[in-house]
Amino acid sequence: STALERLERMWSYQMLFEATLGGRPAIISDHEDSCVAKNIQHDIDRGKFDFKKYNERVTFIDIGACLGMVSMHVARRERSTSIIAIEPHPENYKHMLMNLYDNNEYALTLPFAIGPEFDRSVIVRNNSNTGGATMNSKFCKKSDKRRPQSTVVVVPLNLIFEEFVPEHENAIVKMDIEGSEHTAFDTFEYWDRIVCLHLECHMNDNLRNKGFSSDRLLDFVTSKFSGELH
């Protein structure tokens, strides 16, 4: 058997969705009940992740990369762009690796969550929405077989820039981290190296009870960041 066939048996790998990324076909794997691949494809088709070209070389940092589809899309459209795909949930990370491998794409992959400081945290994922893996749900505090818990390593965003982005290179950052964006920038120091920030803002009762709000996050980001914000 081939190496890929052995990996398929080892990881119960399953091809589930025929995507179009960067103008070319791709085969994407995810949990068979999840809607995420179709949702990401819809966003890509609408041009949500068609970042404009910059004259200087940039690194694309995909924070909350999930299945790796956005990273692959950007890599295929911008061949000179370096890709860093960051995904903390172990099942999502496994599928991301297989998707990159099977579609002959390369990215530096990191199995981290992003937060204000080094830590460990509980993350939960619902198989009907694998992209919704979050450390900011009430289910992180109690056992629920429908939302099995995993423990993940949390690192500050500063570490990504200091260790993985070339010193004189700017970055395009896409951040979709299911509520953790409200604290991810608390200790961040490299605002001048981000030329484009694509930020998803999430809100739920658990976050509201902690005093977070979309307006508060937007005010903070715009007070620090003068680049292109989506």
Side-chain angles (χ1 to χ4, degrees):
S1 61
T2 67
L4 180 57
E5 288 171 340
R6 292 196 296 272
L7 286 172
E8 287 176 1
R9 289 197 296 271
M10 184 188 308
W11 287 350
S12 300
Y13 173 68
Q14 198 171 13
M15 292 182 182
L16 295 172
F17 184 69
E18 295 183 8
T20 301
L21 304 175
R24 293 188 284 123
I27 299 296
I28 298 300
S29 170
D30 190 15
H31 189 279
E32 59 185 353
D33 295 324
S34 180
C35 62
V36 169
K38 292 181 180 179
N39 291 344
I40 295 174
Q41 182 69 70
H42 176 70
D43 287 340
I44 287 172
D45 290 342
R46 289 171 51 227
K48 185 174 181 179
F49 301 111
D50 291 346
F51 303 107
K52 73 177 185 180
K53 291 184 178 180
Y54 293 87
N55 291 329
E56 73 273 22
R57 181 179 176 86
V58 296
T59 297
F60 176 63
I61 308 176
D62 188 356
I63 305 175
C66 192
L67 306 177
M69 291 176 67
V70 177
S71 287
M72 281 189 279
H73 176 70
V74 173
R76 290 177 174 200
R77 290 176 61 89
E78 305 290 345
R79 281 295 180 182
S80 65
T81 300
S82 302
I83 308 292
I84 301 175
I86 304 172
E87 171 55 44
H89 195 281
E91 286 295 313
N92 287 349
Y93 187 80
K94 175 185 75 176
H95 284 288
M96 179 175 70
L97 290 179
M98 290 303 300
N99 288 334
L100 291 167
Y101 176 86
D102 193 53
N103 290 285
N104 299 312
E105 296 295 343
Y106 173 79
L108 172 63
T109 62
L110 301 173
F112 300 140
I114 299 296
E117 58 188 3
F118 291 96
D119 201 358
R120 289 183 180 272
S121 185
V122 171
I123 192 170
V124 297
R125 189 189 79 156
N126 188 329
N127 284 335
S128 66
N129 178 18
T130 56
T134 180
M135 301 184 296
N136 298 280
S137 167
K138 63 182 180 180
F139 295 102
C140 295
K141 300 182 184 302
K142 63 180 182 179
S143 178
D144 186 327
K145 292 182 180 179
R146 295 170 301 170
R147 299 173 177 83
Q149 299 180 357
S150 300
T151 300
V152 298
V153 174
V154 182
V155 303
L157 188 53
N158 286 336
L159 174 79
I160 305 303
F161 277 77
E162 292 164 359
E163 298 296 331
F164 302 106
V165 181
E167 184 176 356
H168 300 295
E169 195 164 298
N170 290 327
I172 297 172
V173 175
K174 168 241 165 190
M175 180 179 287
D176 184 1
I177 53 177
E178 305 300 315
S180 293
E181 67 276 2
H182 291 279
T183 58
F185 295 111
D186 284 359
T187 57
F188 183 57
E189 300 175 355
Y190 299 103
W191 289 102
D192 60 334
R193 295 181 61 189
I194 301 178
V195 294
C196 179
L197 174 61
H198 192 291
L199 179 64
E200 289 264 349
C201 183
H202 301 83
M203 188 53 58
N204 58 35
D205 289 341
N206 194 50
L207 290 165
R208 289 189 190 92
N209 291 337
K210 293 180 179 180
F212 298 117
S213 74
S214 300
D215 289 341
R216 179 180 169 188
L217 175 62
L218 182 60
D219 288 344
F220 175 77
V221 170
T222 53
S223 73
K224 298 286 188 178
F225 180 61
S226 58
E228 185 178 352
L229 179 62
H230 295 275

